[in-house]
């Protein structure tokens, strides 16, 4: 069993998922597991814990110091 999250109900639940496979034009063979929410019945994706660190910190790792771009300059 895996953990899933319902974005409609904002709940996490454990369930046996259903694997869906497809071929993406850009990425090639892809797959994901989904499960139906026990509360509302909508299809839900697997829950993935957020990465450690804040979104602001992760932006700084994407640009060179003092980049002056989207984050207003990363003066580290």
């Amino acid at each position: 069993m895996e953990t899933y999250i319902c974005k409609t109900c904002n709940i996490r639940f454990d369930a046996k998922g259903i694997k869906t496979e497809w071929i993406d034009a850009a990425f090639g063979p892809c797959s994901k597991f989904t499960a139906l929410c026990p509360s509302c019945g909508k299809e839900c994706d697997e829950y993935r814990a957020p990465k450690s660190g804040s979104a602001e910190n992760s932006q700084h790792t994407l640009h060179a110091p003092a980049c002056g771009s989207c984050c207003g300059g990363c003066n580290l």
Side-chain angles (χ1 to χ4, degrees), residues 3 9 15 18 22 27-29 33 46-48 51 61 64 70 72 75:
T3 302
C9 301
I18 300 167
W22 70 96
F27 300 108
F33 282 90
E46 279 186 276
Y47 172 73
R48 296 187 182 202
K51 294 179 182 177
T61 61
C70 66
N75 298 319

Side-chain angles (χ1 to χ4, degrees), residues 9-23:
C9 301
N10 198 31
I11 62 168
R12 280 188 251 164
F13 61 94
D14 291 330
K16 183 178 179 184
I18 300 167
K19 186 176 185 179
T20 304
E21 297 180 296
W22 70 96
I23 298 187

Side-chain angles (χ1 to χ4, degrees), residues 44-58:
C44 304
D45 292 328
E46 279 186 276
Y47 172 73
R48 296 187 182 202
K51 294 179 182 177
S52 62
S54 69
E56 183 178 321
N57 287 340
S58 65

